[in-house]
Structures are given as structure tokens and as C-alpha cells.
Amino acid sequence: MPDQDKTLVQALAQVPWLAQCGETALVALSAQAHAEHVADGAMVAWRGRHTAHLRVVAQGVLELSITNAAGKRHVINRMVQGEVFGLIPVVDEQPLIHDACAKGAVKLVFVPRAAFLGAVQAHPDLALQVMRLLCSRARWLYDSLAAQSLQALPLRVARVLVALSEGAAAALVR
């Protein structure tokens, strides 16, 4: 296997739910993937636009946000090495749900939609991991919405601080 292919497989293996699918699935995904270096402050995705790639953070930090028409920006999350961006739009072929901006130098691995969907069909373990990931994200969102509307402010702040200290928010988006 050429060094470039090994580097891509290693980057994809940093994603826990991808790594659980085995090397065969990782090699299949890496065969059509490519890596790009992104400069600090560069936008790598825009809410409302379509995407043809799943993005894996191989190095650095991506900041996910939503900006309204008046320019008010809400930061949703920061993604680090081993986390995946764009899974929902790649699966449902709808536009991206948030913006993504590089915070510092970032290396991304781009996996084409066709390669990802082909790997999901060829590797049932991958399909199961995607379903589990989407379910865990949905549960986290339901819990967050309930907390926002039903808990007092001090409890909401405490919940966010505990989640951040435990890495729970980051683990759900990998």
C-alpha cells in the first residue's frame, strides 16, 4: 500500500466508529479519499450548500456554527482530530446544516459520498455504526432540548460544563 494510502487509512482509523468497522472498510474508503490542508480562518463548508464529501478532521480544529440573516453567529461545537463533519448531508443528500471554519491549520480527509455509501452497502458493520452514531446524536439533542426548556439556568450551565469536561459533546460527533 503506497504511503499516501496508509496516511489516509490512519486518518480514517482515528474515527472510533469507522475504526470498529475494520481495515477492509477503511481501505475501501481511503481508496477514493483525498487530504487537503486548510489555513487558519478558512471556511470549509457553508450552511445551506450541498456537499459531495464526508470530511474527517485529521489534524487541527474545525469550528461549527450557524449564522442568522442579521449576522448573529452561534458556535455549535468544535471538532478535533478523529471527528467527522457532514454525515447527515452525505446520507440524506440535503444541504449542510452548519458552517465550518478552520481554527488554526487543519488537515481534512475528504471521502466522496459515492465511496461512503458504497462502503456502507458493502460493509454491514459500517451501516450499523452509522445508525448507532445517528441515534446517539439524536438522544443527545433530545436531552439538550429538554434541559434547555425544563431546567433552570444554573443547572443548564452545570450540564454543559460537565459534558465539556467529560468530552461528551465531542464524542457524540465523531
Side-chain angles (χ1 to χ4, degrees), residues 40-109:
D40 180 28
M43 292 296 292
V44 298
W46 294 263
R47 176 179 169 84
R49 293 192 185 171
H50 286 273
T51 185
H53 295 88
L54 189 67
R55 294 163 176 87
V56 176
V57 180
Q59 295 173 349
V61 177
L62 278 185
E63 187 174 79
L64 305 182
S65 64
I66 296 175
T67 305
N68 69 12
K72 185 176 179 181
R73 187 168 168 258
H74 174 72
V75 175
I76 299 166
N77 202 357
R78 291 179 186 251
M79 303 190 93
V80 296
Q81 182 176 322
E83 295 183 311
V84 174
F85 171 73
L87 179 62
I88 292 171
V90 164
V91 171
D92 72 6
E93 297 186 31
Q94 297 297 309
L96 289 159
I97 56 177
H98 29 58
D99 301 326
C101 179
K103 292 297 174 187
V106 175
K107 180 180 178 184
L108 296 174
V109 174

Side-chain angles (χ1 to χ4, degrees):
M1 180 181 310
D3 287 341
Q4 173 66 15
D5 293 345
K6 286 181 186 177
T7 301
L8 292 173
V9 169
Q10 290 169 347
L12 295 174
Q14 295 174 30
V15 179
W17 57 271
L18 280 177
Q20 291 178 7
C21 298
E23 189 171 354
T24 305
L26 295 174
V27 169
L29 289 170
S30 70
Q32 297 180 50
H34 70 279
E36 290 184 18
H37 292 273
V38 181
D40 180 28
M43 292 296 292
V44 298
W46 294 263
R47 176 179 169 84
R49 293 192 185 171
H50 286 273
T51 185
H53 295 88
L54 189 67
R55 294 163 176 87
V56 176
V57 180
Q59 295 173 349
V61 177
L62 278 185
E63 187 174 79
L64 305 182
S65 64
I66 296 175
T67 305
N68 69 12
K72 185 176 179 181
R73 187 168 168 258
H74 174 72
V75 175
I76 299 166
N77 202 357
R78 291 179 186 251
M79 303 190 93
V80 296
Q81 182 176 322
E83 295 183 311
V84 174
F85 171 73
L87 179 62
I88 292 171
V90 164
V91 171
D92 72 6
E93 297 186 31
Q94 297 297 309
L96 289 159
I97 56 177
H98 29 58
D99 301 326
C101 179
K103 292 297 174 187
V106 175
K107 180 180 178 184
L108 296 174
V109 174
F110 289 78
V111 179
R113 172 187 285 127
F116 180 72
L117 296 177
V120 166
Q121 290 176 340
H123 302 278
D125 288 346
L126 179 55
L128 184 58
Q129 290 300 325
V130 170
M131 287 189 293
R132 286 182 176 150
L133 177 67
L134 292 173
C135 289
S136 71
R137 287 180 178 181
R139 286 181 183 279
W140 184 83
L141 285 171
Y142 288 129
D143 289 344
S144 295
L145 288 171
Q148 287 174 18
S149 63
L150 301 174
Q151 291 180 342
L153 180 60
L155 289 173
R156 293 192 313 255
V157 171
R159 183 179 182 279
V160 169
L161 292 174
V162 168
L164 290 173
S165 71
E166 294 175 348
L172 289 171
V173 294
R174 289 181 181 218

